[in-house]
Structure formats: structure tokens, C-alpha cells
Amino acid sequence: MGGDIVLWMLGLLVLLILLGTHIGVALAICSGLGVFLILGSFEAAVSILGNTAYEAVRKDVFAVIPLFVLMGDIISRSGAAADLYRICDRTMKRLPGRLAIATIAGNTVFAAVTGVSIASAAAFSRIAYPEMVKVGYRKTFALGSVAGSACLGMLIPPSVLLIVWAILTEMSVGALFIAGIIPGIVLALLFVAYVVIAAARNPDIAPPFQEDLVELTPQELRSELIGGFGILGLIMLVIGGIWTGFFTPTEAAGFGALGALVVGVIKGMRWSDIVAAIIQAGRTTAPIMFLLITASMYSRLLAIGGAVNFIQNLFLGAGLEPWQIITLMIVVWLVLGMLVDSVSIILLTVPIFAPIAMALGLDPIAFAIFGILVIEAGLLTPPFGLLVYTVKGSVPDREATLGMIFKGSTPYFLLILVAALLVLWIPALATWLPKLMF
């Protein structure tokens, strides 16, 4: 009976989302109604869900998200992202498509201090795209490199998606952070390989390098070095601290936010800029925290109704091969990517998909990285790819259309899926470092 009720609630959840109900509100309504129908007592349902929400908020791991988001916002506003891009540009000046490669390299490093793809997309839309257009890059190619490489923000630690996945599955945040390093580097290398091959085959989309005639003043050079090395120092502080066991993820987030503040002050951030970064971090974090609370209630509904075992038996009892079940998961994730954001996709699917993956014998860490990659690919899926709309709203070019961004990001979408399958086929890409360190 409980399984049937949960399935009805899942159907209601999908209907509410399609009708435009906020995902958090829809989760809360379905959780409350489902628990009430299963228990037959309004007081018991309110008590259970109230305690679930309270216990969720009490978890200290919840502090990781606002602190890492704050760290990224401060670094973004300080101008360090632009410094990092210019350094990458000069370092890779002899490679075909060097500005697109600098965008990928900058996003790879910037991802290690933001944790949010949207922040990377917004920053490099304003920093990298005008530079590429100025030297003659084809707009579709330039837009694709910005939108595609921004996806690295959700894989390379610290990643908000990895934190949310860890909270839902009660896995180690630190282990998932470390697990994302090698797949993130592999994905970045796949992006770079595509740019080099595409630019070498068709130089018109990315004109060859021309020596810059403008020399940096000592003040500009100093500012760039502070920004570039400041970001690298933050990466060593946060990831290195977790890696060595010196910090817990929560402590690393706190020190990372403090370090970002120091870099920002040295870069010349004013009090108004710092306050604006704090407010923006709050605006980014509050909806995520609300979603996590309602997702905890949703998970409690699944547990009370025995939904995980019920749905798992439906999948495994249907006679499907493991690869068919995995393919179905991919399709669900990509379709949801057209409709809702990445955090919501994780909240809706992971409590169901993760146990099924474990029943199939998949490694939980490798499956987490695989899932993050596929979900992130959904951010580039038409017609509502969130990253594409972020780039469209951020680039200072009215001629840049959504169609151009979708077309330019298609190769990156395919490469993300390739990286996801590589992790699925070679789990050691994700599991080797965590097993070594933990």
C-alpha cells in the first residue's frame, strides 16, 4: 500500500512541476500528503516531517554550501577571474584556438573556487567572449567554449552538486570532492583536444595567435599575479586541506571564504563590494537550503512508504539488463535537464536511483561522479538549458542568439557524456584518489 501511495505522490509531484509549482513547494506538498495517507494521522505526519526538517538543518555539512558560494562570489567580484584568464591566455598562446583553450583552462581553475557552474558561465561570458570576438573568433565557437567549459564548475571540487549528493546519500563530502578531480581533468583535456582539432582543421573559427603589442605596466602585472596566485593559493588551501585531512570540508569552506576575503581586499575590493558578495551568496544559497529541507522530507516519504525497494523491484523485476537501466537513468536526467535545475534533479532522482545503482553492483562514488556529469550535460540541453540562458543573459552582445549558443555547446555536451561513460566503464577514474586518501 505504501509503495502505491508513493507512486501516486511521484505522479502528483511531476504534475505540480509541469504546472509551474516551485520544486520545493511541490516536494513539501507531496511529502506531507503522502506521509498523512500512509500513517492516517495528520498529527503524526506533521511531527515526523517537522523533526525531519529540523534534523536536516542541524547538520553541520549544510554550512559548506553558503561558505563555498561566498568564496566564489568574492573571488568573482574581486577581478581575480579576469587575471586568471589573461595568465592562461599568455601561457597557451602557441596552441590553436588559444583563447578558447584559455577559457577552458580558466574555467577549470576557477571551478575550484566557485562550486557553481552558473558563476563560471556569467564570469567568462563577460571576460573571455569579448576577447575572442575582438580577434576574429566565430561567435558560435566562442559562445560554445564559454557555455561548455562552465560545466566544469559542478564537477571539480568544491562543487555544490557534489555536496548535495553527499548529503542525500550520506556519503563523505571530502571523498566525493577528491573523486571529482581526475574526471574533471579528463573532461577539461577532452575539451582542449576538441578545440585544438577544430581550430587546426578550420582556422577561420579561431584565427592564429598574433603577438600582443601592449605591454603590461608594473601595477597591472602585480594585480594579475595577485589574482592568479591568489586563486591557486585558495585551491591549495581548500583541496589540499581536505586531501591531507587537516580540514574537514566544513572547516575548509570557512578558511576558503576567509582566504577569498583576504585576496579580495588585496585586490582592492571595497566594503560595498564585500556586502554585495555576501548578499548574492545568500540569494544563491537560500533556495538551495530550502530545497534540501524539503528533499529530506521527500526522502522520509520514500523511506516510510518503502518506495526505494518497491521501485527497485519494478526496475530489476522488469527483466532489463543493467545497461538498459543505466540508459533509462540517463534519459530521465537529460529530460529533467530541459525542465529544472541541477540541484532539483538530484533531489528528485538520487534517493531512487542511487539504491538501484548499488543493487546493480556499481561503485557509489563512481556512480555519483557519473550522475553529476550526466546531470550537468542537461544544463546544455535545449530548449531550457540553464547554462545557455545564463550565457545569453551575460554576454555583452545582442547578436548572440540562443540558437548559436546551443549549436556551439553541442560538442561539449557530447564530450560530457563521453566522460560520464568513461567513469562508468573505468570506475578507478573516480575511486582511485578517494581510496588512496580515505
Side-chain angles (χ1 to χ4, degrees), residues 368-385:
I369 301 302
F370 163 77
I372 294 295
L373 281 164
V374 177
I375 291 169
E376 196 68 359
L379 291 181
L380 300 175
T381 308
F384 302 116

Side-chain angles (χ1 to χ4, degrees), residues 167-193:
I167 291 172
L168 287 180
T169 58
E170 297 184 350
M171 296 173 65
S172 166
V173 174
L176 284 187
F177 274 6
I178 300 302
I181 293 176
I182 293 179
I185 294 173
V186 169
L187 182 58
L189 291 176
L190 287 174
F191 287 168
V192 169

Side-chain angles (χ1 to χ4, degrees), residues 182-421:
I182 293 179
I185 294 173
V186 169
L187 182 58
L189 291 176
L190 287 174
F191 287 168
V192 169
Y194 159 70
V195 168
V196 171
I197 293 171
R201 292 184 61 185
N202 185 6
D204 290 339
I205 64 174
F209 171 77
Q210 295 180 355
E211 195 72 42
D212 293 325
L213 299 178
V214 179
E215 293 187 2
L216 294 177
T217 65
Q219 292 80 8
E220 291 173 333
L221 180 60
R222 176 178 174 274
S223 178
E224 276 194 17
L225 291 176
I226 291 173
F229 284 105
I231 289 179
L232 294 179
L234 282 176
I235 295 171
M236 294 176 62
L237 176 68
V238 173
I239 307 302
I242 296 173
W243 189 312
T244 59
F246 193 75
F247 296 142
T248 66
T250 307
E251 292 166 345
F255 279 100
L258 181 61
L261 181 60
V262 172
V263 173
V265 170
I266 295 175
K267 286 282 296 175
M269 285 185 71
R270 298 183 178 181
W271 176 248
S272 59
D273 298 322
I274 296 172
V275 171
I278 294 172
I279 293 173
Q280 183 58 45
R283 288 174 176 168
T284 302
T285 302
I288 296 175
M289 304 300 281
F290 175 63
L291 284 172
L292 285 172
I293 292 171
T294 55
S296 298
M297 298 162 62
Y298 165 69
S299 298
R300 180 57 62 91
L301 166 65
L302 297 180
I304 293 175
V308 173
N309 291 333
F310 184 78
I311 297 174
Q312 181 175 311
N313 291 334
L314 285 179
F315 271 82
L316 302 180
L320 298 176
E321 296 291 331
W323 70 267
Q324 293 173 317
I325 296 175
I326 295 298
T327 302
L328 184 58
M329 291 180 183
I330 293 174
V331 171
V332 170
W333 277 330
L334 292 180
V335 171
L336 286 175
M338 303 177 189
L339 304 173
V340 294
D341 62 277
S342 299
V343 173
S344 298
I345 294 172
I346 290 179
L347 299 179
L348 289 170
T349 61
V350 169
I352 297 172
F353 285 179
I356 294 174
M358 301 311 100
L360 295 175
L362 299 179
D363 183 274
I365 291 179
F367 180 72
I369 301 302
F370 163 77
I372 294 295
L373 281 164
V374 177
I375 291 169
E376 196 68 359
L379 291 181
L380 300 175
T381 308
F384 302 116
L386 188 58
L387 272 181
V388 174
Y389 281 85
T390 300
V391 172
K392 174 69 174 97
S394 301
V395 291
D397 184 359
R398 294 183 178 180
E399 295 181 1
T401 64
L402 288 172
M404 293 167 61
I405 305 172
F406 277 120
K407 181 180 178 181
S409 60
T410 297
Y412 298 90
F413 167 82
L414 297 175
L415 289 174
I416 293 171
L417 294 182
V418 168
L421 293 176

